């Protein structure tokens, strides 16, 4: 079971710092989901004592999350190890992740990965190959999760969500 919650403390503003708490317990006998939630609440309260007015986002997981794609921080963590992606690789991955189960054409990804704008004159084969190379590198860096990016022949690429993958999105900026 993985749950998440977002909390805006009283008096927080849209410019308040944001804190992401990932609470993971690897021992399955460590307690119930309620115990895990109580632990997360205690950690959140402690964090708010240190950062008054901070907005918090908590991910509760009874075990380690094998893959975390942190969009706001532009980070990728695979099996608790940070994975370095180039700027273009991260832009392509983020674009796909923000559109789960939607086929994104190579033409839509080309400006992200190849340094082209849609109005530039370029060799179509070279542009398509550049996107393919970036996607291949992303899959390689994702290791056993490389299959979350599917090639849709003749159309483009698609991100297929996996329950073992946690995507951290930017928090909504709402006032209390």
């Amino acid at each position: 079971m993985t749950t998440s919650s977002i909390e805006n403390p009283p008096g927080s503003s849209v410019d308040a710092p944001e804190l992401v708490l990932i609470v993971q317990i690897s021992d399955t006998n460590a307690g119930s989901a309620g115990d895990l939630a109580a632990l997360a609440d205690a950690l959140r309260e402690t964090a708010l004592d240190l950062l008054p007015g901070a907005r918090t986002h908590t991910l509760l997981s009874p075990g380690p999350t094998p893959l975390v794609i942190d969009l706001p921080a532009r980070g990728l963590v695979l099996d608790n190890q940070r994975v370095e992606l180039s700027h273009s690789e991260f832009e392509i991955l983020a674009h796909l992740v923000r559109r789960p189960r939607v086929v994104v054409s190579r033409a839509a990804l080309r400006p992200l990965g190849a340094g082209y704008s849609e109005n530039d004159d370029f060799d179509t084969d070279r542009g398509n190959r550049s996107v393919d190379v970036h996607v291949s590198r992303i899959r390689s860096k994702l290791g056993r999760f490389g299959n979350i990016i599917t090639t849709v022949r003749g159309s483009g690429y698609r991100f297929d969500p996996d329950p073992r993958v946690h995507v951290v999105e930017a928090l909504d900026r709402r006032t209390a």
Side-chain angles (χ1 to χ4, degrees):
M1 177 190 85
T2 300
T3 61
S4 63
S5 67
I6 298 173
E7 186 172 301
N8 289 325
S12 68
S13 73
V14 292
D15 295 325
E18 294 177 347
L19 180 65
V20 178
L21 300 170
I22 300 176
V23 180
Q24 300 173 340
I25 305 294
S26 59
D27 181 2
T28 57
N29 295 323
S32 68
D35 293 340
L36 195 55
L39 175 61
D41 288 340
L43 289 171
R44 186 182 309 113
E45 287 176 22
T46 301
L48 290 174
D49 287 344
L50 298 171
L51 288 169
R55 295 167 42 90
T56 62
H57 175 81
T58 306
L59 168 67
L60 302 177
S61 177
T65 303
L67 179 63
V68 177
I69 302 170
D70 190 343
L71 297 175
R74 299 182 59 82
L76 183 68
V77 178
L78 175 63
D79 295 326
N80 295 319
Q81 298 292 318
R82 184 167 172 78
V83 176
E84 295 298 324
L85 296 177
S86 72
H87 176 79
S88 296
E89 291 165 353
F90 191 85
E91 287 298 317
I92 289 171
L93 178 61
H95 191 82
L96 292 169
V97 166
R98 288 183 180 114
R99 293 156 186 80
R101 298 180 190 88
V102 173
V103 177
V104 180
S105 71
R106 284 178 175 84
L109 296 173
R110 190 175 298 121
L112 302 171
Y116 299 111
S117 72
E118 292 182 25
N119 298 326
D120 286 345
D121 292 327
F122 61 91
D123 177 359
T124 303
D125 290 336
R126 186 174 73 120
N128 284 342
R129 294 293 303 146
S130 177
V131 170
D132 294 341
V133 168
H134 284 302
V135 169
S136 175
R137 288 179 183 158
I138 294 166
R139 284 181 175 144
S140 175
K141 291 177 180 182
L142 288 172
R144 69 183 186 277
F145 292 100
N147 63 349
I148 63 173
I149 299 177
T150 302
T151 301
V152 180
R153 189 176 172 124
S155 297
Y157 296 98
R158 178 183 68 224
F159 169 68
D160 294 321
D162 181 301
R164 300 168 297 160
V165 176
H166 179 69
V167 177
V168 178
E169 302 273 353
L171 295 175
D172 292 337
R173 295 285 187 179
R174 291 178 270 177
T175 56

